[in-house]
Amino acid sequence: MQVNLAQHIQKYITLSDHEIHRLSEFTETIHLKKKAWVLQENSVCHHWYFVEKGCLRMFFINSKGVEQITQFALEGWWITDFNSFLNKVPSAYAIQTIEASTIVSIHQKVLEQMLAELPGLEKYFRLVLQKAVAASQHRAKLSYEMSKEEFFLHFSTSFPDFMQRVPQYMIASYLGLTPEYLSELRKKFS
Amino acid sequence: MQVNLAQHIQKYITLSDHEIHRLSEFTETIHLKKKAWVLQENSVCHHWYFVEKGCLRMFFINSKGVEQITQFALEGWWITDFNSFLNKVPSAYAIQTIEASTIVSIHQKVLEQMLAELPGLEKYFRLVLQKAVAASQHRAKLSYEMSKEEFFLHFSTSFPDFMQRVPQYMIASYLGLTPEYLSELRKKFS
């Protein structure tokens, strides 16, 4: 389901027509094919990305040379490597589309310019970030208290559509399972 | 080292004397003894806390009835259970002082009132939250790529003062180690 950025912002704050117009000038809407690179490893991640349509994954290459997925972003979610974004250092991550996607991109400098000109938008980003911290606290708690099997069950119950949409090996990577073990779990609990 | 909230904010944005005065009226400064409760489990966490002096820990009781520490907050850090804070649901966590501490507390409703009256402060909270998300992304990456031994070594190298300041069993809980294993690691690498 497509989520328009301006409409998403208006769930949180009121935007004037002028603000909606300026928002479209400060941001760039990009249409990407499946498996397109949004961020390459070792590049500085200058942009913050909002997913209007499709699905992204963020991953790094671990010491065994294997892709380790740490985050997904679906419609209505923002994603970036904040360490790279804030400190202008090369990113340890890559970001890639899983499906054909439409994303809205904003450069870090342009974000600050936009918020200086349209300070009413600060509240939107503060509220979005509060939710992001809530989600990361929740995930950290799960990782402390759940076995991998329990984590899988929780994940598949909480996000059934997502389980259908994303390749099984990517879910396995995110959950820290081997694809074989995930396949066993899916059979066991299906 | 004591960190005054108004001074902390002024590292990020400029505050007028009026804003500093109103900030002190919207917030409450609380002096707490060691092991004082900031949040009790199953209460709604209505407040966001800034540590001016001292150290807090946030934990939940796991299925084995053991305290599992998920976060610490030192001078200059904000802490709350965002799920409880945003959704007004009982918290699964407790927050307690580790040392005698001075904290600044702001109620969720009062935060929104304050930001409506002093919208210039939105930027400060947005920047603080961006850093919080960066820190949680970093921690999630470490938990994927490091063994518990490597995590201990990274933690003790990155935060040597903290290792001295906080009881060993609390660091063990945070790192997901038994206190006995942490003690072995400290001997091995000291």
Side-chain angles (χ1 to χ4, degrees):
Chain A
M1 194 185 59
Q2 184 123 3
V3 179
N4 173 272
L5 174 57
Q7 286 169 1
H8 188 260
I9 294 174
Q10 288 178 100
K11 287 185 193 172
Y12 296 87
I13 60 167
T14 308
L15 286 180
S16 67
D17 289 346
H18 171 70
E19 283 172 321
I20 292 171
H21 175 68
R22 291 295 287 146
L23 177 71
S24 72
E25 291 181 329
F26 281 116
T27 56
E28 188 182 359
T29 300
I30 308 167
H31 301 280
L32 293 162
K33 292 185 180 170
K34 183 176 175 175
K35 294 196 181 179
W37 294 103
V38 176
L39 171 70
Q40 300 264 11
E41 202 191 348
N42 295 323
S43 305
V44 176
C45 186
H46 288 295
H47 296 83
W48 198 1
Y49 303 103
F50 178 80
V51 182
E52 287 203 331
K53 189 168 187 296
C55 182
L56 310 184
R57 68 186 181 119
M58 184 162 147
F59 64 92
F60 68 93
I61 308 296
N62 70 17
S63 57
K64 291 173 187 159
V66 176
E67 292 177 359
Q68 173 61 60
I69 296 176
T70 59
Q71 273 180 262
F72 294 103
L74 294 170
E75 288 91 355
W77 295 18
W78 285 90
I79 193 165
T80 191
D81 169 6
F82 268 106
N83 180 45
S84 178
F85 182 79
L86 298 176
N87 302 314
K88 299 173 186 62
V89 293
S91 178
Y93 297 95
I95 302 177
Q96 193 185 32
T97 60
I98 296 173
E99 307 166 357
S101 301
T102 303
I103 63 175
V104 179
S105 162
I106 187 159
H107 191 284
Q108 190 269 334
K109 276 188 191 164
V110 177
L111 173 71
E112 296 299 333
Q113 285 166 11
M114 180 177 79
L115 292 172
E117 185 186 316
L118 310 174
L121 280 166
E122 286 281 7
K123 181 176 179 178
Y124 165 72
F125 287 103
R126 195 245 312 162
L127 294 174
V128 161
L129 287 160
Q130 283 180 342
K131 283 196 171 186
V133 177
S136 70
Q137 284 182 325
H138 181 62
R139 181 172 162 201
K141 183 166 184 284
L142 294 184
S143 74
Y144 274 114
E145 70 183 334
M146 286 189 177
S147 68
K148 289 181 174 181
E149 188 170 296
E150 287 167 333
F151 197 16
F152 161 77
L153 272 175
H154 174 84
F155 196 78
S156 54
T157 315
S158 305
F159 311 107
D161 297 343
F162 186 73
M163 294 294 284
Q164 295 306 318
R165 195 166 159 183
V166 170
Q168 184 154 325
Y169 78 92
M170 291 188 187
I171 293 169
S173 171
Y174 177 74
L175 296 177
L177 307 170
T178 62
E180 295 73 23
Y181 186 52
L182 181 68
S183 177
E184 274 178 43
L185 288 177
R186 288 186 93 148
K187 279 181 207 152
K188 189 170 165 185
F189 295 108
S190 65
Chain B
M1 193 186 58
Q2 184 122 6
V3 179
N4 173 271
L5 174 57
Q7 287 169 1
H8 189 259
I9 295 173
Q10 288 178 100
K11 286 185 192 171
Y12 297 86
I13 60 167
T14 308
L15 286 180
S16 67
D17 289 346
H18 170 70
E19 284 172 321
I20 293 171
H21 175 68
R22 291 295 288 146
L23 178 71
S24 71
E25 290 181 329
F26 281 116
T27 56
E28 188 182 0
T29 301
I30 308 167
H31 301 279
L32 293 163
K33 293 185 180 170
K34 184 176 174 174
K35 294 195 180 180
W37 294 102
V38 177
L39 171 71
Q40 299 265 9
E41 202 190 348
N42 296 322
S43 305
V44 176
C45 188
H46 288 295
H47 296 83
W48 199 0
Y49 303 102
F50 178 80
V51 182
E52 288 203 332
K53 188 169 187 298
C55 182
L56 310 185
R57 68 187 181 118
M58 184 162 148
F59 64 92
F60 68 93
I61 307 296
N62 70 18
S63 58
K64 292 173 186 159
V66 176
E67 292 176 359
Q68 174 60 61
I69 296 176
T70 59
Q71 273 180 264
F72 294 103
L74 295 169
E75 289 90 354
W77 295 19
W78 285 90
I79 192 165
T80 191
D81 169 6
F82 268 107
N83 179 45
S84 178
F85 182 77
L86 298 176
N87 303 314
K88 299 174 185 63
V89 294
S91 178
Y93 297 94
I95 302 176
Q96 193 185 32
T97 59
I98 295 173
E99 306 166 357
S101 301
T102 303
I103 63 174
V104 179
S105 162
I106 187 158
H107 191 284
Q108 189 269 333
K109 276 190 191 164
V110 177
L111 174 70
E112 296 299 333
Q113 285 166 11
M114 180 177 79
L115 293 171
E117 184 186 316
L118 311 173
L121 279 166
E122 287 280 8
K123 180 176 180 177
Y124 165 72
F125 286 103
R126 195 246 311 163
L127 295 175
V128 161
L129 286 160
Q130 284 180 342
K131 283 196 171 187
V133 177
S136 71
Q137 284 182 326
H138 181 62
R139 181 172 162 199
K141 183 166 184 286
L142 295 184
S143 74
Y144 274 115
E145 70 183 333
M146 287 189 177
S147 68
K148 289 182 173 180
E149 188 170 296
E150 287 168 334
F151 197 17
F152 162 77
L153 271 174
H154 174 84
F155 197 80
S156 55
T157 314
S158 305
F159 311 108
D161 296 345
F162 186 73
M163 294 294 284
Q164 296 304 319
R165 196 167 157 182
V166 170
Q168 185 155 327
Y169 78 92
M170 291 188 187
I171 293 170
S173 170
Y174 177 74
L175 297 177
L177 308 170
T178 63
E180 295 73 24
Y181 186 52
L182 181 68
S183 178
E184 273 178 44
L185 288 176
R186 289 186 91 147
K187 278 182 206 151
K188 188 170 163 186
F189 295 108
S190 64

